Amino acid sequence: METIFSEALIDFRKAAGFPTAYRFYHDNGGKPVLTFSYRKYLLFEQGEALPSPEELRRISLALRFISKSPAAGKLAATWLKTMAGEEPYSFVFEPFISVKTETPGLSPMHKVMDKLMKRLPITVEQAVVILSSYGHYLSYIVLVNGSEAWSCEALSKTAGLKKPAAAKILADFAKAGLVKRIRNDSFKSFGENAILEFPRAEIMPHGLNDKLRGYQAEMIASGAITWRRMTVLRADAVELAAFYQLISLTMSSVSAYETCEKTRNSAMFGIESRVVKLFDF
């Protein structure tokens, strides 16, 4: 029996890059991460049960939702509407619940690009492999940004690794489904022409997100700044949070400039955006 919530959940799951309920559940770490069984998740999608508030939070994180984003609000609203009933919801809750339907400041161009972008979610298990060492992470960055086939020798030269280390990394990636072997000693990334999305920090194993941030900082520190801009402003924290979705989409849209082939001026660039709370004011 389909419900407003179950229909929305399925739509959001597919939009996040998970074609099936099985892939969504297991690619996000299964019960140890989501805290409920696969059978129970199927009941959510079939409209036979509703998740608890904590289970709903876990599902939102697994869908890669940003906190307080329109997508997170829409799913929560369908959950409340299903739980209360449409008529009671309209009479009791709707008058004082404000659900954002769109990200403020989102231009028509951003909306079109959001629909056209192909997203591939990285599983929790794959994230563990990628972040098992700095060499693994750097190799991942190289592989997903090149459409060419990569041999052990080419990877070791580009990433500055010894050949045995490069060979081990390629073997680890092949086992995790991150690359596919196209010849005896030649591999290609599985994420060609797509935006690969790491799991949210909240559902990754403890300490893994810290490793990711450390590797990113090390990689950025090794390069040279080509452009920088910083703005300091006073703002309401809740209202500013609506801006995060716009930043996220803008960061994803930079992929329009990506080239998977080596050119005369091609190089690897690290593009970073962050919001830092300085102090209460």
Side-chain angles (χ1 to χ4, degrees):
M1 178 182 70
E2 291 185 344
T3 64
I4 298 170
F5 174 78
S6 67
E7 290 177 351
L9 175 58
I10 292 170
D11 289 343
F12 278 125
R13 185 252 296 160
K14 290 179 179 177
F18 301 98
T20 65
Y22 184 88
R23 288 262 58 89
F24 173 75
Y25 182 82
H26 291 286
D27 288 354
N28 280 298
K31 189 171 183 177
V33 173
L34 297 175
T35 71
F36 48 80
S37 68
Y38 175 58
R39 176 58 187 157
K40 192 173 184 181
Y41 177 73
L42 287 179
L43 294 178
F44 299 156
E45 287 208 359
Q46 292 164 359
E48 299 294 333
L50 275 174
S52 68
E54 173 56 24
E55 289 169 341
L56 179 62
R57 186 182 77 89
R58 289 276 170 179
I59 290 171
S60 294
L61 291 172
L63 289 168
R64 276 59 168 175
F65 285 166
I66 294 174
S67 177
K68 300 176 184 177
S69 66
K74 285 179 186 177
L75 186 63
T78 63
W79 177 86
L80 184 56
K81 192 178 292 186
T82 302
M83 181 182 68
E86 289 191 66
E87 210 170 311
Y89 174 86
S90 298
F91 185 81
V92 178
F93 297 107
E94 198 165 30
F96 66 86
I97 290 180
S98 177
V99 179
K100 298 184 182 74
T101 56
E102 291 189 355
T103 302
L106 205 61
S107 69
M109 180 194 73
H110 278 105
K111 294 176 184 177
V112 171
M113 291 195 70
D114 189 33
K115 290 181 179 179
L116 293 178
M117 284 187 294
K118 179 184 176 184
R119 292 181 172 87
L120 281 177
I122 293 171
T123 72
V124 172
E125 289 182 350
Q126 288 173 335
V128 170
V129 174
I130 293 169
L131 301 175
S132 58
S133 75
Y134 179 66
H136 280 75
Y137 180 68
L138 186 59
S139 297
Y140 159 78
I141 294 296
V142 170
L143 291 166
V144 299
N145 281 282
S147 61
E148 60 265 52
W150 289 88
S151 66
C152 174
E153 185 174 353
L155 179 62
S156 65
K157 182 179 179 181
T158 303
L161 301 167
K162 293 182 179 180
K163 285 184 69 174
K168 182 183 185 309
I169 289 169
L170 285 171
D172 290 345
F173 283 1
K175 186 177 180 180
L178 289 162
V179 296
K180 53 186 177 182
R181 189 188 298 269
I182 57 174
R183 287 188 296 274
N184 186 41
D185 183 32
S186 190
F187 299 83
K188 291 192 76 171
S189 166
F190 85 115
E192 192 174 351
N193 299 319
I195 295 174
L196 302 180
E197 295 187 333
F198 268 83
R200 287 291 303 269
E202 295 91 335
I203 66 171
M204 285 206 288
H206 180 70
L208 204 61
N209 191 59
D210 291 336
K211 291 178 72 173
L212 172 61
R213 298 291 175 252
Y215 294 156
Q216 289 174 334
E218 184 176 348
M219 187 170 58
I220 292 296
S222 69
I225 295 175
T226 59
W227 187 86
R228 185 186 182 211
R229 177 177 174 177
M230 179 180 174
T231 298
V232 178
L233 76 161
R234 187 183 194 179
D236 182 276
V238 175
E239 292 182 0
L240 185 63
F243 184 56
Y244 301 164
Q245 182 72 12
L246 180 59
I247 297 175
S248 179
L249 186 53
T250 300
M251 289 292 289
S252 296
S253 66
V254 78
S255 61
Y257 295 92
E258 183 179 10
T259 175
C260 290
E261 298 179 357
K262 187 173 179 60
T263 69
R264 183 179 177 182
N265 299 309
S266 64
M268 194 74 82
F269 291 90
I271 301 174
E272 180 183 23
S273 68
R274 60 179 174 171
V275 177
V276 179
K277 181 180 177 181
L278 301 177
F279 49 84
D280 291 327
F281 180 47

